[in-house]
Amino acid sequence: MAAIGLLTVFVFTTLLQGFVLKVLWAWFVVPTFGLNGLSLAAALGLSMVTSYLTHQYHKDDRSIGEQVLYSILECVIALVIGWVIHLFM
């Protein structure tokens, strides 16, 4: 049962990260450089590639619940800060 819960959380946080990247890309990269918007699938792939290339291992003493909460808060905070900056463009 715990494995199904962890898999569900992993899928949810991955989708959330892809959604945030898609929105931030549309707000900043499209108008600045004139590039096309990203689909959710492209945003997920790009997010996974950059995570893979930039991942740094460090021992984490937080529980799994705290790690999940941190991942979700990180996405929400990035989206809120991006939205505020987008208002000034």
Side-chain angles (χ1 to χ4, degrees):
M1 207 55 156
I4 293 173
L6 286 175
L7 182 62
T8 303
V9 167
F10 174 75
V11 169
F12 173 74
T13 56
T14 301
L15 288 172
L16 182 61
Q17 289 173 346
F19 173 76
V20 170
L21 177 61
K22 179 182 180 296
V23 170
L24 292 175
W25 186 278
W27 283 347
F28 300 112
V29 176
V30 171
T32 303
F33 300 108
L35 299 176
N36 293 331
L38 289 177
S39 67
L40 183 59
L44 287 170
L46 187 59
S47 176
M48 290 162 91
V49 167
T50 56
S51 294
Y52 172 73
L53 292 174
T54 61
H55 179 74
Q56 297 178 4
Y57 178 79
H58 50 83
K59 187 174 180 182
D60 198 351
D61 294 333
R62 295 180 293 183
S63 70
I64 292 176
E66 290 172 333
Q67 291 176 13
V68 168
L69 182 62
Y70 178 79
S71 295
I72 293 170
L73 284 176
E74 184 178 38
C75 289
V76 170
I77 290 169
L79 196 57
V80 168
I81 292 172
W83 176 72
V84 170
I85 294 170
H86 181 267
L87 292 175
F88 291 100
M89 290 182 69

